[in-house]
C-alpha cells in the first residue's frame, strides 16, 4: 500500500494567465467544495468548456490530507483566510476569527470532516418560501445526497461494539467523494450515546442521513481505501481536469469582479492573489454563464464589487450599480459554538480515551505505528462520529411553547440592521414564521452535542440562530480589503432565550442520566452559576458565533422576500450569472453544512446543464 500511488495529476492547471483561452462556456469563480463539484459535472460530457478561477493553490500537504483529529488545516495559516469580524456588541465587543479554506478544494480541504445532513423539514422549509410546487424539498434533494456521497458502512466490529445503526439506502455508491467510519472508536462513547436515550423524547434514528432528530453515529469525509481526507479536489478534480481538454483551472488568482455588458454577465476580472492594485488585472470571457462559488464570505463581496448588491452600499463604495439587489450580503448566518457547560468525569473507568491521542506519547506512538502498518486504529478518527441533534421540545420541555410564541410575535424589523431593505425584512418575516414552526417541531434540531470520547466533554452547537448578520464590501476599498463581516451575534433576543435553556439541559444530560455514575463535575461556567443573568454574562464571554458554517449571503428566496437567486440559482435582475455555494441556503439546516453543499452543487449542475 502507498498513498502516493494515487495520482494527483494536475498538469493542466493553467499556470500563467496568458495561456487561457479568450472565452469559455462557463467560468466558475472559486474552486472550492461547490465549485469543483459543478466543474466536474459540467465538463464530463465534453461539450462545454469550463474555467475555474481559484484564489488558493494546489495543496496536498499532510495538513490537508491527514485524517487524525480533523482540523489539521487550521494549524497551517497558508491554507485558510482569516478575517477579523466587526467587534460583536453582543459578545463584549470581541472580534471573531472568520476562517475558511483558501486552497483548491476550498473549505472541504480544511474542515473537520464530519458528514451530516439536516432534517427533512429543513429542506422542505427552503421550498416553502416559493410555494407548494417548489422542487426544493427533502424528496427533491435526496437523489442529490445520494449522488454526492459514496457511503461505506462501519465495520461489523464497530457496529457491535457501539450499537451503531445505519441504513445505506439514504446514500449512494458512485461518487468520488467518500463518507466512511473509522476502524476504532473511544470506549466511553457507547455509554455517552446510550445516556441520550435516558432523556425523554430522544430517539435513535435508523441512519444519520434519515433526516430525523435524535442521537446517532455519522461518517466522516474520509476515503477508506487510503484513509486520507476525501474532499472536492481528489473527489472532483484530481486526474479529471488533466484528462479533459475542455477543463481549465487557474489557481493563485483572485477574482475582483464580474464584468457586465448592460445587464448581461460576460466575464470575470482577476488579478494575481497577492496583488494590491488592479495594474495586472485581466479579463476572461464566458459565453453561457458565470457561476459564483467563492463561499458565503467572498461570493457576496465579489457580487457587491461587481455592482450587484444594496444600492446604498454600492454608491458609498463608488461601485456603479448594475442591479439593486438588497439581499446580497444580508441574511448572514452561522452556528454558534461554546454555548453550554463542559464537564469532567471524575470516575472514569475507560481506556483509552480521546485525551490519550492528545497527550499520551506512548499511546500516540503506538497509534502511529498501527496506522502506518495498516491504516487502522485511533488515527483513522477525524474530529468525531457521534452525538445528538435535539429539538427545542426535548431541550426546553417547559418553555419551548412560550419561546416560539414570543419569537413569532416579534416585529421582523426590530432586530435587523436599521438600514435593512423592506424586501429583506419581508424575507425575514417569512423565515420567522417557518422557524417558529420548526421550534415547535419534534423533528427539527436546535441543539447539537458532539461527543469526542474523552474524560472531558462539552462541545455544543446552536443549530438555528435567529440573529442575522451582514457581509459587506469595505466602502473604502471594495476589491483589496477583506469584506466587513458582522455576525450580529445575539442581536435577536430569542437566541439568548434559547441558549439559556442549553445550560440546564446539558447539566441534565450529565447529572440525570447514566452518566451520573461517572461523577461529572462541571468545569465551565461552574455548577454555582445558575441565575439566567449570570449564565448570559458567561455566554457573552465565551460564545463563538461560528462553527465555520457560514451561509445565507446570496439567499435562494423569492425576489420580493429579499432573495438574490431564484430556484434555478440564477441571480435576479441580470443575465448569465448564478450562485451555487453555501451562500444560497436561505437558512441553516439542523446540521453542519458540507454534506448539503455537495448535494446542492450536484443539483445546481443539473439545473445549469438543463439550460445549456
Ligand atoms: C475549519 C472548518 C471546519 C469545518 N468543519 C465542518 C465539518 O466538520 N462538517 C461539515 O459538514 N462542514 C464543516 N465545515 C463547513 C464546510 O466545509 C463548508 O460549509 C463548505 O465546504 C463550504 O463550501 P463552499 O463551496 O460554499 O465554499 P468553499 O469550499 O470555502 O469554496 C470557496 C472557494 O472560493 C475561493 N475564493 C474565495 N474568494 C475568491 C476570489 N476572489 N477569487 C477566486 N476564488 C476565491 C476560496 O479560496 C475557496 O476555495 C467546516 C468549515 C471550515 C472552514
Amino acid at each position: 500500500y502507498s498513498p502516493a500511488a494515487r495520482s494527483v495529476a494536475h498538469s493542466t492547471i493553467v499556470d500563467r494567465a496568458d495561456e487561457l483561452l479568450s472565452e469559455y462556456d462557463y467560468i466558475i469563480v472559486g474552486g472550492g467544495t461547490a465549485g469543483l463539484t459543478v466543474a466536474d459535472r459540467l465538463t464530463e460530457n465534453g461539450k462545454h468548456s469550463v474555467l475555474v478561477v481559484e484564489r488558493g493553490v494546489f495543496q496536498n500537504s499532510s495538513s490537508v490530507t491527514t485524517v487524525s483529529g480533523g482540523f489539521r488545516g487550521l494549524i497551517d495559516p497558508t491554507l485558510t483566510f482569516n478575517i477579523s469580524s466587526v467587534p460583536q456588541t453582543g459578545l463584549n465587543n470581541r472580534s471573531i476569527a472568520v476562517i475558511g479554506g483558501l486552497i483548491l478544494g476550498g473549505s472541504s480541504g480544511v474542515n473537520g470532516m464530519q458528514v451530516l445532513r439536516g432534517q427533512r423539514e429543513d429542506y422542505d422549509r427552503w421550498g416553502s418560501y416559493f410555494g407548494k410546487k417548489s422542487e426544493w424539498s427533502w424528496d427533491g434533494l435526496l437523489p442529490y445526497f445520494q449522488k454526492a456521497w459514496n457511503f461505506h458502512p462501519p465495520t461489523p466490529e464497530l457496529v457491535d461494539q457501539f450499537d451503531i445503526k445505519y441504513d445505506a439506502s439514504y446514500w449512494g455508491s458512485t461518487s468520488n467523494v467518500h463518507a466512511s467510519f473509522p476502524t476504532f472508536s473511544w470506549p466511553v462513547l457507547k455509554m455517552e450515546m446510550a445516556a441520550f436515550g435516558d432523556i425523554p423524547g430522544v430517539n435513535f434514528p435508523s441512519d444519520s442521513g434519515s433526516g430525523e432528530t435524535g442521537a446517532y453515529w455519522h461518517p466522516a469525509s474520509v476515503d477508506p481505501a487510503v484513509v486520507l481526507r476525501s474532499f472536492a479536489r481528489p473527489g472532483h478534480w484530481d486526474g479529471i481536469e488533466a484528462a479533459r481538454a475542455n477543463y481549465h483551472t487557474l489557481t493563485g488568482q483572485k477574482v475582483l469582479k464580474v464584468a457586465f455588458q448592460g445587464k448581461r454577465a460576460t466575464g470575470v476580472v482577476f488579478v494575481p492573489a497577492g496583488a494590491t492594485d488592479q495594474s495586472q488585472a485581466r479579463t476572461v470571457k464566458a459565453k453561457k454563464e458565470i457561476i459564483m462559488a467563492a463561499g458565503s464570505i467572498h461570493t457576496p463581496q465579489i457580487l457587491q464589487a461587481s455592482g450587484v448588491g444594496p444600492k446604498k452600499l454600492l454608491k458609498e463604495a463608488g461601485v456603479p450599480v448594475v442591479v439593486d439587489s438588497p439581499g446580497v450580503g444580508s441574511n448572514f448566518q452561522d452556528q454558534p459554538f461554546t454555548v453550554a457547560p463542559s464537564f469532567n468525569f471524575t470516575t472514569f473507568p475507560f481506556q483509552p480515551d480521546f485525551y490519550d491521542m492528545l497527550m499520551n506519547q506512548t499511546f500516540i506512538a503506538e497509534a502511529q505505528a498501527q496506522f502506518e502498518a495498516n491504516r487502522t486504529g485511533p488515527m483513522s478518527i477525524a474530529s468525531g462520529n457521534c452525538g445528538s441533534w435535539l429539538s427545542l421540545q426535548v431541550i426546553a420541555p417547559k418553555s419551548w411553547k412560550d419561546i416560539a410564541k414570543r419569537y413569532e410575535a416579534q416585529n421582523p424589523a426590530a432586530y435587523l440592521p436599521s438600514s435593512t431593505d423592506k424586501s429583506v425584512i419581508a424575507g425575514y418575516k417569512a423565515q420567522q414564521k417557518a422557524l417558529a414552526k420548526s421550534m415547535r417541531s419534534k423533528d427539527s434540531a436546535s441543539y447539537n452535542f458532539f461527543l469526542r470520547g474523552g474524560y472531558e466533554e462539552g462541545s455544543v452547537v446552536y443549530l438555528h440562530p435567529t440573529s442575522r448578520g451582514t457581509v459587506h464590501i469595505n466602502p473604502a476599498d471594495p476589491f483589496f480589503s477583506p469584506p466587513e463581516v458582522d455576525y450580529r451575534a445575539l442581536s435577536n433576543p430569542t437566541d439568548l432565550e434559547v441558549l439559556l435553556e442549553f445550560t440546564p439541559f446539558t447539566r441534565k444530560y450529565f447529572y440525570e442520566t447514566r452518566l451520573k455514575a461517572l461523577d461529572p463535575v462541571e468545569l465551565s461556567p461552574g455548577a454555582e452559576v445558575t441565575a439566567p443573568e449570570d449564565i448570559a454574562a458567561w455566554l457573552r464571554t465565551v460564545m463563538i458565533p461560528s462553527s465555520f458554517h457560514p451561509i445565507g449571503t446570496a439567499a435562494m428566496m423569492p425576489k420580493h422576500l429579499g432573495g438574490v437567486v431564484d430556484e434555478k440559482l440564477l441571480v435576479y435582475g441580470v443575465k448569465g450569472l448564478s450562485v451555487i455555494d453555501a451562500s444560497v441556503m436561505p437558512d441553516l439546516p439542523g446540521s453542519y453544512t458540507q454534506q448539503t453543499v455537495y448535494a446542492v452543487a450536484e443539483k445546481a449542475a443539473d439545473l445549469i446543464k438543463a439550460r445549456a
Side-chain angles (χ1 to χ4, degrees):
Y1 165 80
S2 154
R6 273 169 66 89
S7 163
V8 289
H10 56 281
S11 58
T12 68
I13 278 185
V14 181
D15 286 319
R16 289 173 307 164
D18 52 9
E19 288 168 10
L20 292 175
L21 304 178
S22 63
E23 194 171 53
Y24 292 83
D25 289 322
Y26 299 98
I27 298 174
I28 300 182
V29 178
T33 318
L36 291 187
T37 304
V38 168
D40 179 11
R41 299 305 181 202
L42 291 183
T43 51
E44 65 193 352
N45 70 8
K47 286 188 191 153
H48 310 299
S49 57
V50 173
L51 172 69
V52 172
V53 186
E54 165 56 41
R55 184 171 153 193
V57 295
F58 181 96
Q59 241 283 12
N60 206 42
S61 74
S62 60
S63 311
V64 172
T65 58
T66 303
V67 168
S68 180
F71 294 108
R72 281 288 171 101
L74 288 182
I75 52 175
D76 183 342
T78 65
L79 304 178
T80 55
F81 64 83
N82 189 336
I83 299 170
S84 284
S85 80
V86 168
Q88 298 296 288
T89 43
L91 302 177
N92 301 339
N93 280 325
R94 284 180 291 135
S95 286
I96 307 296
V98 184
I99 294 174
L102 194 73
I103 52 172
L104 193 59
S107 297
S108 70
V110 299
N111 69 18
M113 294 178 246
Q114 305 200 43
V115 175
L116 288 149
R117 75 185 71 159
Q119 291 82 56
R120 290 162 189 249
E121 288 189 4
D122 297 318
Y123 308 106
D124 289 342
R125 187 173 59 243
W126 293 1
S128 77
Y129 299 129
F130 290 92
K132 289 208 170 72
K133 289 198 187 129
S134 176
E135 281 174 23
W136 290 89
S137 63
W138 166 264
D139 289 340
L141 265 178
L142 186 56
Y144 292 106
F145 280 119
Q146 289 163 330
K147 185 171 188 185
W149 290 91
N150 190 337
F151 179 75
H152 306 266
T155 61
E157 296 76 30
L158 206 74
V159 169
D160 278 355
Q161 200 186 341
F162 292 97
D163 301 328
I164 299 177
K165 290 207 230 172
Y166 69 90
D167 178 348
S169 72
Y170 289 104
W171 299 86
S173 56
T174 56
S175 176
N176 275 326
V177 178
H178 299 274
S180 68
F181 290 81
T183 45
F184 169 88
S185 204
W186 308 112
V188 67
L189 288 170
K190 182 171 183 168
M191 183 174 179
E192 289 181 324
M193 284 297 280
F196 286 120
D198 297 340
I199 298 167
V202 178
N203 299 320
F204 293 91
S206 62
D207 188 90
S208 70
S210 69
E212 294 166 280
T213 56
Y216 39 81
W217 284 74
H218 61 85
S221 40
V222 173
D223 180 348
V226 284
V227 196
L228 296 174
R229 176 191 292 272
S230 178
F231 67 111
R233 205 214 66 224
H236 286 295
W237 191 89
D238 288 356
I240 293 172
E241 186 251 20
R244 293 181 189 165
N246 57 332
Y247 187 172
H248 280 174
T249 311
L250 186 62
T251 58
Q253 303 283 332
K254 174 174 150 180
V255 172
L256 295 181
K257 61 181 172 184
V258 176
F260 283 93
Q261 244 171 31
K263 302 265 184 212
R264 182 167 189 92
T266 53
V268 301
V269 179
F270 62 89
V271 292
T276 51
D277 63 43
Q278 296 199 39
S279 58
Q280 298 175 73
R282 318 207 20 165
T283 303
V284 60
K285 287 188 173 165
K287 262 188 277 197
K288 291 183 186 291
E289 204 163 308
I290 312 291
I291 300 166
M292 299 300 301
S296 301
I297 304 298
H298 294 104
T299 284
Q301 179 193 23
I302 299 166
L303 287 174
Q304 291 163 2
S306 312
V308 179
K311 191 168 63 185
K312 195 167 162 273
L313 173 71
L314 305 193
K315 288 208 161 139
E316 202 188 328
V319 173
V321 178
V322 176
V323 61
D324 178 19
S325 185
V328 177
S330 67
N331 191 46
F332 173 46
Q333 300 156 62
D334 200 333
Q335 293 169 325
F337 182 54
T338 329
V339 286
S342 53
F343 288 81
N344 176 12
F345 296 120
T346 56
T347 299
F348 197 71
F350 302 96
Q351 270 205 325
D353 88 324
F354 168 81
Y355 287 97
D356 283 304
M357 202 58 214
L358 292 184
M359 294 184 297
N360 175 343
Q361 293 307 326
T362 314
F363 182 81
I364 295 169
E366 282 167 13
Q368 178 87 38
Q370 180 182 357
F371 190 74
E372 277 164 19
N374 58 19
R375 315 294 278 182
T376 63
M379 288 190 74
S380 66
I381 305 173
S383 56
N385 293 87
C386 58
S388 63
W389 286 263
L390 304 178
S391 70
L392 193 61
Q393 287 202 30
V394 166
I395 299 303
K398 292 203 185 103
S399 56
W400 62 270
K401 276 190 191 149
D402 290 339
I403 294 175
K405 199 169 159 191
R406 277 193 291 273
Y407 177 55
E408 200 170 29
Q410 280 178 2
N411 165 3
Y415 306 110
L416 296 175
S418 56
S419 57
T420 306
D421 185 81
K422 60 180 189 315
S423 64
V424 175
I425 295 171
Y428 188 70
K429 189 176 176 188
Q431 288 189 9
Q432 195 184 339
K433 194 164 169 241
L435 290 172
K437 198 170 153 205
S438 302
M439 286 177 186
R440 297 186 175 105
S441 167
K442 287 191 176 120
D443 302 318
S444 175
S446 173
Y447 172 101
N448 162 231
F449 195 128
F450 76 86
L451 293 168
R452 297 188 305 180
Y455 61 79
E456 276 180 31
E457 294 280 11
S459 304
V460 174
V461 176
Y462 175 26
L463 297 167
H464 283 301
T466 58
S467 299
R468 295 290 178 267
T470 54
V471 177
H472 285 158
I473 42 173
N474 178 343
D477 185 2
F479 298 112
F480 295 98
S481 174
E484 293 177 346
V485 179
D486 189 354
Y487 291 96
R488 302 185 71 257
L490 301 181
S491 56
N492 189 310
T494 296
D495 285 341
L496 200 52
E497 271 200 77
V498 172
L499 290 175
L500 285 175
E501 299 292 340
F502 280 25
T503 290
F505 176 79
T506 306
R507 287 174 177 159
K508 184 163 147 183
Y509 171 59
F510 284 91
Y511 294 139
E512 294 175 32
T513 66
R514 68 191 70 191
L515 295 182
K516 192 172 189 304
L518 303 182
D519 297 317
V521 170
E522 185 171 324
L523 297 170
S524 169
E528 70 288 358
V529 180
T530 51
E533 58 276 19
D534 295 337
I535 297 174
W538 170 73
L539 280 168
R540 292 186 196 282
T541 345
V542 298
M543 187 183 113
I544 311 281
S546 166
S547 309
F548 315 117
H549 303 150
I551 65 124
T553 50
M556 176 182 66
M557 286 189 92
K559 186 164 169 36
H560 70 277
L561 297 183
V564 174
V565 298
D566 65 14
E567 287 182 278
K568 308 279 183 211
L569 303 179
L570 286 163
V571 175
Y572 292 116
V574 294
K575 289 206 161 62
L577 182 62
S578 58
V579 184
I580 58 156
D581 58 27
S583 45
V584 301
M585 299 186 198
D587 45 42
L588 281 154
S591 70
Y592 313 157
T593 40
Q594 72 161 336
Q595 194 182 147
T596 302
V597 169
Y598 280 107
V600 168
E602 292 283 7
K603 183 170 167 68
D606 275 1
L607 292 170
I608 296 166
K609 282 194 274 186
R611 60 179 171 251

